[in-house]
């Protein structure tokens, strides 16, 4: 499945979302050349990073909620963070990184594309201020661009029509002028539309690993 997916997505970066998947299945993809893996839970990230410490060049991307009491462990184990939503999270992450002597951690601002209260992220209007804060006040962080988890209805529409919804295109325009201009958008069900909309990174779980074994 990896080779087929890679041939479809060309130069777009593939983040293999390994939440709820075993270290053995991660080894399986690693053996096929995959190096970038995404995790949502700090405890799982730490356990897997430790279990797989023998694999060189593994790159862990944290894509979960940044609870303030867990940010330190994120700083310890992740090589990249895509879910920054506030100046406070950025400051705490930067401060923790400083403690580990780490600098220039790649980060993305997480956008709440449908203003869904149950999801984290800033709205599109909030992006420039947070971007400025990260760039001016957090030298430990290297801002790459934007990440979004669109509302279900929006990704369903993208899937059904095969075309990027209007909101994806607005997101892309803003991503272009944020940090290094990257856009992390698209999951198993809507990555084709996300790539059409200009995604530079896609985050794929089930389409790579199959269904998650437990939730
Ligand atoms: C779980 C998850 C994914 C992957 O979802 P799939 O539908 O399994 O591809 C991508 N991004 C985030 C933030 C996730 O939590």
């Amino acid at each position: 499945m990896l080779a087929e997916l890679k041939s479809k997505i060309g130069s777009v970066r593939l983040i293999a979302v390994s939440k709820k998947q075993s270290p053995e299945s991660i080894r399986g993809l690693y053996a096929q050349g995959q190096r970038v893996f995404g995790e949502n839970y700090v405890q799982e990230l730490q356990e897997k990073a430790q279990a797989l410490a023998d694999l060189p060049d593994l790159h862990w991307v944290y894509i979960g909620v940044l609870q303030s009491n867990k940010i330190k462990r994120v700083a310890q184990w992740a090589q990249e963070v895509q879910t920054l939503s506030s100046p406070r999270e950025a400051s705490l992450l930067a401060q923790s990184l400083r403690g580990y002597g780490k600098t220039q951690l790649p980060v993305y601002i997480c956008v709440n594309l449908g203003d869904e209260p149950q999801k984290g992220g800033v709205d599109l209007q909030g992006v420039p201020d947070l971007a400025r804060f990260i760039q001016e006040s957090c030298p430990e962080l290297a801002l790459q661009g934007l990440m979004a988890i669109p509302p279900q209805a929006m990704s369903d529409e993208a899937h059904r029509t095969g075309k990027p919804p209007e909101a994806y295109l607005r997101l892309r325009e803003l991503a272009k002028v944020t940090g290094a201009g990257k856009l992390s958008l698209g999951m198993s069900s809507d990555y084709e539309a996300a790539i059409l909309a200009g995604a530079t990174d896609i985050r794929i779980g089930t389409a790579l690993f199959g269904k998650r074994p437990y939730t």
Side-chain angles (χ1 to χ4, degrees):
M1 265 185 285
L2 178 65
E4 197 187 321
L5 184 60
K6 291 282 251 190
S7 74
K8 264 202 225 168
I9 68 174
S11 62
V12 170
R13 185 169 72 135
L14 173 63
I15 302 170
V17 178
S18 48
K19 63 176 175 223
K20 310 290 182 193
Q21 305 292 349
S22 66
E24 289 65 42
S25 48
I26 295 172
R27 274 186 200 280
L29 282 189
Y30 184 94
Q32 297 172 61
Q34 181 66 24
R35 293 294 179 269
V36 183
F37 292 88
E39 286 286 342
N40 294 60
Y41 307 99
V42 181
Q43 186 61 28
E44 263 192 80
L45 167 65
Q46 176 171 351
E47 283 170 14
K48 290 176 194 173
Q50 287 174 320
L52 300 168
D54 58 307
L55 302 180
D57 307 326
L58 253 188
H59 184 90
W60 293 107
V61 182
Y62 186 73
I63 54 172
V65 176
L66 284 167
Q67 287 167 283
S68 28
N69 60 342
K70 301 207 169 136
I71 286 183
K72 200 164 171 227
R73 279 204 288 163
V74 172
Q76 186 177 4
W77 296 105
Q79 278 79 44
E80 177 175 332
V81 173
Q82 292 204 342
T83 39
L84 278 183
S85 300
S86 69
R88 181 179 154 74
E89 290 171 1
S91 296
L92 287 172
L93 183 61
Q95 191 187 335
S96 300
L97 288 164
R98 210 152 43 237
Y100 292 112
K102 294 187 181 177
T103 55
Q104 293 295 301
L105 188 87
V107 297
Y108 291 57
I109 291 173
C110 179
V111 174
N112 190 333
L113 207 50
D115 293 324
E116 297 172 285
Q118 77 279 18
K119 283 187 190 167
V122 294
D123 57 20
L124 287 172
Q125 295 90 296
V127 167
D129 278 352
L130 182 52
R132 201 171 312 117
F133 178 82
I134 292 169
Q135 290 174 314
E136 288 174 2
S137 308
C138 306
E140 295 78 10
L141 308 179
L143 183 60
Q144 303 299 301
L146 302 181
M147 175 276 202
I149 310 168
Q152 191 63 47
M154 215 182 270
S155 51
D156 287 349
E157 182 200 325
H159 185 57
R160 198 178 56 248
T161 63
K163 283 198 297 216
E166 185 60 36
Y168 284 21
L169 302 175
R170 281 203 298 277
L171 182 70
R172 177 62 203 152
E173 288 314 301
L174 188 57
K176 274 186 190 158
V177 296
T178 304
K182 305 241 175 88
L183 175 61
S184 171
L185 179 73
M187 320 205 305
S188 293
S189 64
D190 67 348
Y191 68 87
E192 282 148 322
I195 291 172
L196 284 178
T200 58
D201 305 8
I202 57 174
R203 309 179 308 267
I204 306 292
T206 38
L208 261 183
F209 288 98
K211 270 186 106 165
R212 285 181 269 283
Y214 54 91
T215 52

PDB file of all heavy atoms in Angstrom, residues 17 19 40 63-64 83 147-149 186-189 203-208 210 212, ligand 1:
ATOM      1  N   VAL A  17       0.360   8.223   9.850  1.00  0.00           N
ATOM      2  CA  VAL A  17      -0.226   8.440  11.180  1.00  0.00           C
ATOM      3  C   VAL A  17      -0.386   7.092  11.881  1.00  0.00           C
ATOM      4  O   VAL A  17      -1.219   6.270  11.512  1.00  0.00           O
ATOM      5  CB  VAL A  17      -1.569   9.185  11.081  1.00  0.00           C
ATOM      6  CG1 VAL A  17      -2.192   9.353  12.468  1.00  0.00           C
ATOM      7  CG2 VAL A  17      -1.354  10.554  10.442  1.00  0.00           C
ATOM      8  N   LYS A  19      -0.958   6.393  15.192  1.00  0.00           N
ATOM      9  CA  LYS A  19      -1.677   6.286  16.481  1.00  0.00           C
ATOM     10  C   LYS A  19      -2.415   4.952  16.546  1.00  0.00           C
ATOM     11  O   LYS A  19      -3.007   4.525  15.554  1.00  0.00           O
ATOM     12  CB  LYS A  19      -2.648   7.451  16.647  1.00  0.00           C
ATOM     13  CG  LYS A  19      -3.744   7.485  15.621  1.00  0.00           C
ATOM     14  CD  LYS A  19      -4.742   8.612  15.905  1.00  0.00           C
ATOM     15  CE  LYS A  19      -5.738   8.682  14.781  1.00  0.00           C
ATOM     16  NZ  LYS A  19      -6.045  10.045  14.343  1.00  0.00           N
ATOM     17  N   ASN A  40      -0.626  11.138  18.005  1.00  0.00           N
ATOM     18  CA  ASN A  40      -1.560  12.071  18.644  1.00  0.00           C
ATOM     19  C   ASN A  40      -1.475  12.118  20.159  1.00  0.00           C
ATOM     20  O   ASN A  40      -2.059  13.000  20.767  1.00  0.00           O
ATOM     21  CB  ASN A  40      -3.006  11.672  18.341  1.00  0.00           C
ATOM     22  CG  ASN A  40      -3.358  11.813  16.898  1.00  0.00           C
ATOM     23  OD1 ASN A  40      -2.736  11.177  16.055  1.00  0.00           O
ATOM     24  ND2 ASN A  40      -4.323  12.655  16.594  1.00  0.00           N
ATOM     25  N   ILE A  63       0.921  15.397  16.362  1.00  0.00           N
ATOM     26  CA  ILE A  63      -0.280  16.005  15.764  1.00  0.00           C
ATOM     27  C   ILE A  63      -1.464  15.973  16.735  1.00  0.00           C
ATOM     28  O   ILE A  63      -2.618  16.000  16.321  1.00  0.00           O
ATOM     29  CB  ILE A  63      -0.668  15.302  14.431  1.00  0.00           C
ATOM     30  CG1 ILE A  63      -0.817  13.786  14.641  1.00  0.00           C
ATOM     31  CG2 ILE A  63       0.344  15.591  13.341  1.00  0.00           C
ATOM     32  CD1 ILE A  63      -1.397  13.057  13.418  1.00  0.00           C
ATOM     33  N   GLY A  64      -1.163  15.892  18.032  1.00  0.00           N
ATOM     34  CA  GLY A  64      -2.229  15.850  19.031  1.00  0.00           C
ATOM     35  C   GLY A  64      -2.389  17.177  19.756  1.00  0.00           C
ATOM     36  O   GLY A  64      -1.679  18.151  19.499  1.00  0.00           O
ATOM     37  N   THR A  83       0.613  21.171  15.749  1.00  0.00           N
ATOM     38  CA  THR A  83      -0.655  21.545  16.350  1.00  0.00           C
ATOM     39  C   THR A  83      -0.567  22.762  17.274  1.00  0.00           C
ATOM     40  O   THR A  83      -1.252  22.824  18.286  1.00  0.00           O
ATOM     41  CB  THR A  83      -1.234  20.340  17.127  1.00  0.00           C
ATOM     42  OG1 THR A  83      -0.152  19.658  17.787  1.00  0.00           O
ATOM     43  CG2 THR A  83      -1.917  19.363  16.209  1.00  0.00           C
ATOM     44  N   MET A 147      -1.452  23.800   9.343  1.00  0.00           N
ATOM     45  CA  MET A 147      -2.016  22.459   9.371  1.00  0.00           C
ATOM     46  C   MET A 147      -3.499  22.599   9.665  1.00  0.00           C
ATOM     47  O   MET A 147      -3.898  23.493  10.419  1.00  0.00           O
ATOM     48  CB  MET A 147      -1.314  21.689  10.477  1.00  0.00           C
ATOM     49  CG  MET A 147      -1.809  20.313  10.782  1.00  0.00           C
ATOM     50  SD  MET A 147      -3.209  20.166  11.884  1.00  0.00           S
ATOM     51  CE  MET A 147      -2.933  18.495  12.415  1.00  0.00           C
ATOM     52  N   ALA A 148      -4.345  21.778   9.065  1.00  0.00           N
ATOM     53  CA  ALA A 148      -5.773  21.855   9.375  1.00  0.00           C
ATOM     54  C   ALA A 148      -6.413  20.480   9.399  1.00  0.00           C
ATOM     55  O   ALA A 148      -6.011  19.571   8.662  1.00  0.00           O
ATOM     56  CB  ALA A 148      -6.501  22.746   8.372  1.00  0.00           C
ATOM     57  N   ILE A 149      -7.397  20.355  10.296  1.00  0.00           N
ATOM     58  CA  ILE A 149      -8.290  19.192  10.318  1.00  0.00           C
ATOM     59  C   ILE A 149      -9.670  19.732   9.965  1.00  0.00           C
ATOM     60  O   ILE A 149     -10.356  20.295  10.807  1.00  0.00           O
ATOM     61  CB  ILE A 149      -8.334  18.557  11.723  1.00  0.00           C
ATOM     62  CG1 ILE A 149      -6.919  18.324  12.256  1.00  0.00           C
ATOM     63  CG2 ILE A 149      -9.130  17.262  11.697  1.00  0.00           C
ATOM     64  CD1 ILE A 149      -6.884  17.975  13.741  1.00  0.00           C
ATOM     65  N   GLY A 186      -5.252  16.955   4.526  1.00  0.00           N
ATOM     66  CA  GLY A 186      -5.635  15.737   3.818  1.00  0.00           C
ATOM     67  C   GLY A 186      -5.343  14.510   4.649  1.00  0.00           C
ATOM     68  O   GLY A 186      -4.247  14.360   5.180  1.00  0.00           O
ATOM     69  N   MET A 187      -6.343  13.642   4.776  1.00  0.00           N
ATOM     70  CA  MET A 187      -6.216  12.386   5.483  1.00  0.00           C
ATOM     71  C   MET A 187      -6.660  11.279   4.513  1.00  0.00           C
ATOM     72  O   MET A 187      -6.799  11.534   3.324  1.00  0.00           O
ATOM     73  CB  MET A 187      -7.068  12.420   6.755  1.00  0.00           C
ATOM     74  CG  MET A 187      -6.987  13.780   7.464  1.00  0.00           C
ATOM     75  SD  MET A 187      -7.318  13.802   9.238  1.00  0.00           S
ATOM     76  CE  MET A 187      -8.890  13.048   9.389  1.00  0.00           C
ATOM     77  N   SER A 188      -6.869  10.074   5.026  1.00  0.00           N
ATOM     78  CA  SER A 188      -7.161   8.950   4.125  1.00  0.00           C
ATOM     79  C   SER A 188      -8.308   9.235   3.155  1.00  0.00           C
ATOM     80  O   SER A 188      -8.248   8.866   1.987  1.00  0.00           O
ATOM     81  CB  SER A 188      -7.497   7.697   4.937  1.00  0.00           C
ATOM     82  OG  SER A 188      -6.357   7.271   5.630  1.00  0.00           O
ATOM     83  N   SER A 189      -9.368   9.903   3.649  1.00  0.00           N
ATOM     84  CA  SER A 189     -10.570  10.020   2.819  1.00  0.00           C
ATOM     85  C   SER A 189     -10.520  11.200   1.854  1.00  0.00           C
ATOM     86  O   SER A 189     -11.295  11.242   0.908  1.00  0.00           O
ATOM     87  CB  SER A 189     -11.796  10.136   3.718  1.00  0.00           C
ATOM     88  OG  SER A 189     -11.706  11.330   4.463  1.00  0.00           O
ATOM     89  N   ARG A 203      -1.512  13.530   5.843  1.00  0.00           N
ATOM     90  CA  ARG A 203      -1.399  12.712   7.067  1.00  0.00           C
ATOM     91  C   ARG A 203      -2.311  11.498   6.920  1.00  0.00           C
ATOM     92  O   ARG A 203      -3.537  11.635   6.962  1.00  0.00           O
ATOM     93  CB  ARG A 203      -1.812  13.541   8.290  1.00  0.00           C
ATOM     94  CG  ARG A 203      -1.098  14.905   8.385  1.00  0.00           C
ATOM     95  CD  ARG A 203      -1.582  15.666   9.613  1.00  0.00           C
ATOM     96  NE  ARG A 203      -3.018  15.771   9.685  1.00  0.00           N
ATOM     97  CZ  ARG A 203      -3.722  16.793   9.214  1.00  0.00           C
ATOM     98  NH1 ARG A 203      -3.139  17.831   8.657  1.00  0.00           N
ATOM     99  NH2 ARG A 203      -5.049  16.797   9.319  1.00  0.00           N
ATOM    100  N   ILE A 204      -1.715  10.359   6.709  1.00  0.00           N
ATOM    101  CA  ILE A 204      -2.503   9.178   6.346  1.00  0.00           C
ATOM    102  C   ILE A 204      -2.350   8.069   7.387  1.00  0.00           C
ATOM    103  O   ILE A 204      -1.233   7.617   7.659  1.00  0.00           O
ATOM    104  CB  ILE A 204      -2.047   8.629   4.971  1.00  0.00           C
ATOM    105  CG1 ILE A 204      -2.094   9.723   3.901  1.00  0.00           C
ATOM    106  CG2 ILE A 204      -2.904   7.429   4.571  1.00  0.00           C
ATOM    107  CD1 ILE A 204      -3.479  10.191   3.536  1.00  0.00           C
ATOM    108  N   GLY A 205      -3.485   7.648   7.943  1.00  0.00           N
ATOM    109  CA  GLY A 205      -3.480   6.540   8.896  1.00  0.00           C
ATOM    110  C   GLY A 205      -4.065   5.284   8.281  1.00  0.00           C
ATOM    111  O   GLY A 205      -3.351   4.410   7.787  1.00  0.00           O
ATOM    112  N   THR A 206      -5.407   5.202   8.289  1.00  0.00           N
ATOM    113  CA  THR A 206      -6.077   3.958   7.876  1.00  0.00           C
ATOM    114  C   THR A 206      -5.737   3.498   6.451  1.00  0.00           C
ATOM    115  O   THR A 206      -5.629   2.305   6.222  1.00  0.00           O
ATOM    116  CB  THR A 206      -7.612   4.109   8.011  1.00  0.00           C
ATOM    117  OG1 THR A 206      -7.975   5.419   7.632  1.00  0.00           O
ATOM    118  CG2 THR A 206      -8.035   3.907   9.440  1.00  0.00           C
ATOM    119  N   ALA A 207      -5.549   4.415   5.521  1.00  0.00           N
ATOM    120  CA  ALA A 207      -5.268   3.991   4.145  1.00  0.00           C
ATOM    121  C   ALA A 207      -3.895   3.316   4.035  1.00  0.00           C
ATOM    122  O   ALA A 207      -3.607   2.644   3.049  1.00  0.00           O
ATOM    123  CB  ALA A 207      -5.345   5.181   3.181  1.00  0.00           C
ATOM    124  N   LEU A 208      -3.063   3.455   5.060  1.00  0.00           N
ATOM    125  CA  LEU A 208      -1.729   2.843   5.048  1.00  0.00           C
ATOM    126  C   LEU A 208      -1.668   1.596   5.925  1.00  0.00           C
ATOM    127  O   LEU A 208      -1.125   0.563   5.540  1.00  0.00           O
ATOM    128  CB  LEU A 208      -0.711   3.833   5.626  1.00  0.00           C
ATOM    129  CG  LEU A 208       0.140   4.648   4.695  1.00  0.00           C
ATOM    130  CD1 LEU A 208       1.100   5.485   5.517  1.00  0.00           C
ATOM    131  CD2 LEU A 208       0.895   3.770   3.704  1.00  0.00           C
ATOM    132  N   GLY A 210      -4.392   0.166   7.526  1.00  0.00           N
ATOM    133  CA  GLY A 210      -5.670  -0.508   7.741  1.00  0.00           C
ATOM    134  C   GLY A 210      -6.341   0.102   8.959  1.00  0.00           C
ATOM    135  O   GLY A 210      -5.857   1.087   9.505  1.00  0.00           O
ATOM    136  N   ARG A 212      -7.577   1.066  12.608  1.00  0.00           N
ATOM    137  CA  ARG A 212      -6.850   1.074  13.873  1.00  0.00           C
ATOM    138  C   ARG A 212      -7.323  -0.061  14.765  1.00  0.00           C
ATOM    139  O   ARG A 212      -8.523  -0.256  14.937  1.00  0.00           O
ATOM    140  CB  ARG A 212      -7.033   2.432  14.559  1.00  0.00           C
ATOM    141  CG  ARG A 212      -6.187   3.522  13.893  1.00  0.00           C
ATOM    142  CD  ARG A 212      -6.327   4.862  14.556  1.00  0.00           C
ATOM    143  NE  ARG A 212      -7.379   5.692  13.979  1.00  0.00           N
ATOM    144  CZ  ARG A 212      -7.281   6.370  12.830  1.00  0.00           C
ATOM    145  NH1 ARG A 212      -6.178   6.325  12.121  1.00  0.00           N
ATOM    146  NH2 ARG A 212      -8.282   7.094  12.382  1.00  0.00           N
TER     147      ARG A 212
HETATM  148  C1  LIG B   1      -5.930  10.189  12.932  1.00  0.00           C
HETATM  149  C2  LIG B   1      -5.467  11.417  12.261  1.00  0.00           C
HETATM  150  C3  LIG B   1      -5.105  11.409  10.900  1.00  0.00           C
HETATM  151  C4  LIG B   1      -5.215  10.182  10.011  1.00  0.00           C
HETATM  152  O1  LIG B   1      -6.540   9.846   9.779  1.00  0.00           O
HETATM  153  P1  LIG B   1      -6.929   8.647   8.780  1.00  0.00           P
HETATM  154  O2  LIG B   1      -8.329   8.930   8.446  1.00  0.00           O
HETATM  155  O3  LIG B   1      -6.752   7.378   9.539  1.00  0.00           O
HETATM  156  O4  LIG B   1      -6.035   8.722   7.607  1.00  0.00           O
HETATM  157  C5  LIG B   1      -4.616  12.589  10.345  1.00  0.00           C
HETATM  158  N1  LIG B   1      -4.507  13.719  11.084  1.00  0.00           N
HETATM  159  C6  LIG B   1      -4.849  13.754  12.377  1.00  0.00           C
HETATM  160  C7  LIG B   1      -4.678  15.035  13.127  1.00  0.00           C
HETATM  161  C8  LIG B   1      -5.338  12.623  13.003  1.00  0.00           C
HETATM  162  O5  LIG B   1      -5.689  12.691  14.287  1.00  0.00           O
END
